[in-house]
Amino acid sequence: MREGRAATTMKVHSAIAKALIDNGIETMFGLIGDANLYVVDSFVREFGGTFVAAANEAGATLMALGYATVSGKVGVATITHGPAVTNTLTGLVEGVKGQTPMVLICGDTAVDDREASQNIPQRDVIIATGAGFEQLRSPNTLAQDVATVLRRAMLERRPVALNVPIEFQWLDVEYRSVILRIPETRGFVPAGTDLDNGVGIIAGAKRPIVLAGRGAVNTEARAALVRLAERTGALLATTLKAKDLFLGEDYNLGVFGTLSTPVAMEAIMESDCIIAFGAGLNSRTTSRGAFLKGKRLVQCNAEPIEIGKSITPDAGLVGDPALVADAIVHWLDEAEIAPSGFRNEALNRRLKAYSPVADLSDTAVGGILDVHKALAFFNEVVPTNRVLVTDGGRFCSAPWRMMNVSEPGSFLYTLNSGSIGLGLSYAIGASYAVKDRPVLLVTGDGGFMLGGLAEFNTAVRHNVDLIVVVCNDSSYGAEHVQFRNKNMDPALSIFDWPDFAPVADALGGKGVTVRTAQDLESAARAIEERDGPLLIDIKLDPDRMPPPAS
């Protein structure tokens, strides 16, 4: 961190805003209250920052996560104290599990006011989520403390809170800027036994697959992994979070795991070696270990803690995925190892010919649309430069299978903590990271009611280019299917929701109801003509929905 020389006298609330601006924070999400309203006012009025006023502190936290996920920068949210802090807890847990850098600037009640109704142990509450915590120590340490919390969030890859006592706001401070400096991380290649073992395993493989996770989705890594696959005769695949990294490449299996297509699944079961880069290899990726049974595993990740976290590899390589992939190619060339021969044109043709919509009927069953067919339609009519956000629910395997993005950074996964209802806020945050591109949210009716209803109006107030597709089966789908599987009455999982299209209209946006295949064309016109947030309510049958993703 570098401290500026010139000092300027200003109030603490202005100094906090200035410290954020000085460190490149131009957008902040939140709700104002008596412990942070002056900070927000200074951020906007004095320094030209953008403030996105959410309807709920939970939404503000998630917006900051969505912004951080798409932009690659630290997301920042600000709230007041007490219940405002407790409203952020789900978002903080989501950010911790998703390893997302985010700063939560929260006010706190006055130290000497023990009987304040909003006085709670904020440090204890926040730390319990797994997030970090920093106390604003004094007005004199303000610039240093702001830079520290931003630095920690970026390096620790998790939310970190900055706790600001309310009584500091109007104190004078001699402000000197402290600029955050993140040390340059240079890529490296392991040397020694681990690399030798990895190259030896790959050299001996007859049917290898190169698997990319979210830790290997940059341009350099993609190119290097394609080169490695071509050199070894390996097939290509990704985890869900790296979805569509290899879209358009030959021998692309798509998503590796429980979402694999039948053609991909056959190839995975035939393979004898998985070469994984930047992938955590959780139970869904490995199909609870079934997809790795009888196979040698080489795992590469830039972070040592990720190696073997979920499953022990035969060779673990700590290093930059792109450089390691190219190093493996180098040593295979040196040893004159021939490609495996796993690739063949017949398989490539089968992979390219497979269509997830090929077996779907063009007509609705009993007048009820099929969710896969409907989402395949929206995959075609929503602009291809979109950001895709999927909320949680039984429906979510359908957009994961039926919808594509131009590159993995345009896909937001919001189920790191397994909660529904996070998607709409994520989508609003993402929109501020891309600005000139539409954001498509696919959500369920339960998730929309739980976390989307209030924040849809936030999207309206801020004129976000947002298309919300609600897969509406009037139920909590995951619970509905469990009742059905045990031949029990699912009535507890059924809800008589309001009609969402007029609700969207009332909230200031535009709503369209889709009940039939003919209604899809009306929805397509609404997408083309949209001039603000658009909600498309697809009426579905809870007994004709896909099973929960597993």
Side-chain angles (χ1 to χ4, degrees):
M1 299 179 190
R2 179 173 59 83
E3 184 173 323
R5 294 181 179 178
T8 305
T9 301
M10 60 178 68
K11 300 298 182 184
V12 164
H13 62 80
S14 292
I16 293 173
K18 182 72 164 64
L20 293 170
I21 293 291
D22 285 349
N23 280 283
I25 304 302
E26 299 175 346
T27 303
M28 185 161 58
F29 307 87
L31 272 73
I32 60 172
D34 56 0
N36 72 335
L37 74 168
Y38 304 115
V39 171
V40 173
D41 178 77
S42 292
F43 184 76
V44 174
R45 182 173 50 81
E46 292 184 58
F47 304 114
T50 297
F51 178 67
V52 182
N56 186 284
E57 291 87 1
T61 309
L62 296 164
M63 290 173 200
L65 295 178
Y67 177 89
T69 303
V70 174
S71 70
K73 303 175 182 178
V74 177
V76 176
T78 181
I79 59 168
T80 188
H81 38 50
V85 172
T86 61
N87 282 344
T88 69
L89 300 188
T90 296
L92 293 178
V93 171
E94 173 74 10
V96 169
K97 288 181 175 288
Q99 298 181 319
T100 308
M102 181 220 144
V103 164
L104 179 68
I105 299 174
C106 50
D108 202 353
T109 54
V111 174
D112 61 357
D113 188 0
R114 291 184 176 181
E115 296 183 357
S117 61
Q118 294 182 324
N119 181 24
I120 65 168
Q122 294 188 175
R123 176 190 291 271
D124 297 342
V125 168
I126 290 169
I127 287 178
T129 69
F133 185 93
E134 285 285 335
Q135 182 71 37
L136 182 61
R137 295 167 292 167
S138 76
N140 293 330
T141 63
L142 180 152
Q144 183 73 45
D145 293 341
V146 170
T148 294
V149 76
L150 290 167
R151 178 181 181 277
R152 285 189 60 191
M154 182 60 78
L155 294 180
E156 296 173 19
R157 307 295 300 176
R158 63 169 175 161
V160 182
L162 178 64
N163 202 59
V164 182
I166 190 172
E167 62 267 34
F168 285 178
Q169 291 186 95
W170 285 92
L171 297 179
D172 289 324
V173 61
E174 293 292 312
Y175 175 77
R176 289 182 175 85
S177 64
V178 176
I179 306 302
L180 168 69
R181 289 286 183 263
I182 299 295
E184 181 182 359
T185 302
R186 293 186 178 274
F188 60 94
V189 179
T193 303
D194 286 338
L195 181 60
D196 293 343
N197 287 344
V199 172
I201 290 169
I202 294 166
K206 302 300 182 184
R207 297 175 299 279
I209 293 175
V210 171
L211 172 64
R214 196 62 181 253
V217 298
N218 60 61
T219 303
E220 294 78 12
R222 182 190 188 281
L225 298 192
V226 170
R227 287 193 293 269
L228 175 62
E230 290 173 345
R231 175 62 182 80
T232 58
L235 310 182
L236 291 161
T238 73
T239 64
L240 177 60
K241 287 190 175 183
K243 175 179 166 60
D244 294 332
L245 177 66
F246 300 123
L247 192 66
E249 291 287 340
D250 288 338
Y251 302 100
N252 176 26
L253 300 177
V255 175
F256 184 109
T258 54
L259 293 170
S260 293
T261 68
V263 179
M265 198 171 297
E266 289 179 19
I268 292 169
M269 297 309 292
E270 291 176 8
S271 68
D272 63 355
C273 177
I274 307 300
I275 315 165
F277 293 85
L281 301 174
N282 62 36
S283 62
R284 289 180 174 84
T285 298
T286 65
S287 193
R288 292 180 169 78
F291 281 2
L292 297 183
K293 189 174 182 181
K295 299 173 175 57
R296 305 299 297 279
L297 173 63
V298 178
Q299 185 182 15
C300 170
N301 201 294
E303 302 295 332
I305 195 171
E306 297 296 323
I307 303 291
K309 183 169 70 174
S310 298
I311 190 165
T312 302
D314 296 287
L317 310 179
V318 179
D320 177 87
L323 297 180
V324 172
D326 282 340
I328 292 171
V329 170
H330 168 77
W331 290 114
L332 292 175
D333 288 344
E334 286 288 306
E336 299 183 347
I337 302 297
S340 67
F342 194 22
R343 291 185 169 197
N344 63 80
E345 279 305 313
L347 173 59
N348 197 34
R349 285 194 297 271
R350 290 181 65 207
L351 288 169
K352 290 191 172 184
Y354 178 80
S355 169
V357 300
D359 298 327
L360 299 177
S361 172
D362 287 332
T363 59
V365 178
I368 301 295
L369 280 171
D370 179 88
V371 65
H372 297 91
K373 193 72 177 180
L375 294 183
F377 176 86
F378 289 115
N379 187 53
E380 296 298 323
V381 300
V382 175
T384 56
N385 67 336
R386 63 189 172 240
V387 172
L388 173 63
V389 184
T390 57
D391 206 320
R394 180 167 52 149
F395 71 91
C396 63
S397 63
W400 293 343
R401 288 188 169 103
M402 313 306 295
M403 310 186 94
N404 301 115
V405 290
S406 58
E407 44 84 27
S410 296
F411 171 64
L412 269 71
Y413 176 88
T414 68
L415 281 169
N416 295 292
S417 57
S419 175
I420 69 171
L422 311 187
L424 202 146
S425 296
Y426 256 95
I428 293 172
S431 73
Y432 278 85
V434 294
K435 292 187 178 179
D436 58 342
R437 297 164 56 194
V439 178
L440 170 63
L441 167 67
V442 184
T443 184
D445 48 290
F448 180 74
M449 288 296 291
L450 178 65
L453 184 62
E455 300 302 353
F456 185 82
N457 179 253
T458 300
V460 171
R461 285 186 283 108
H462 293 280
N463 197 33
V464 173
D465 189 2
L466 174 66
I467 302 165
V468 179
V469 174
V470 182
C471 299
N472 183 3
D473 63 358
S474 298
S475 78
Y476 276 178
E479 290 70 28
H480 182 277
V481 73
Q482 290 185 66
F483 281 129
R484 286 296 196 202
N485 287 343
K486 294 187 180 299
N487 296 315
M488 296 172 64
D489 183 355
L492 287 174
S493 68
I494 300 295
F495 294 86
D496 185 15
W497 304 123
D499 197 357
F500 291 139
V503 168
D505 292 339
L507 290 171
K510 171 70 175 174
V512 177
T513 301
V514 173
R515 291 186 172 86
T516 66
Q518 290 72 28
D519 291 336
L520 289 172
E521 297 301 331
S522 298
R525 287 193 297 273
I527 290 171
E528 186 175 356
E529 298 168 359
R530 72 191 187 282
D531 59 1
L534 170 66
L535 183 145
I536 300 168
D537 182 13
I538 310 176
K539 303 297 187 182
L540 301 166
D541 184 342
D543 287 314
R544 295 196 182 109
M545 293 290 286
S550 61

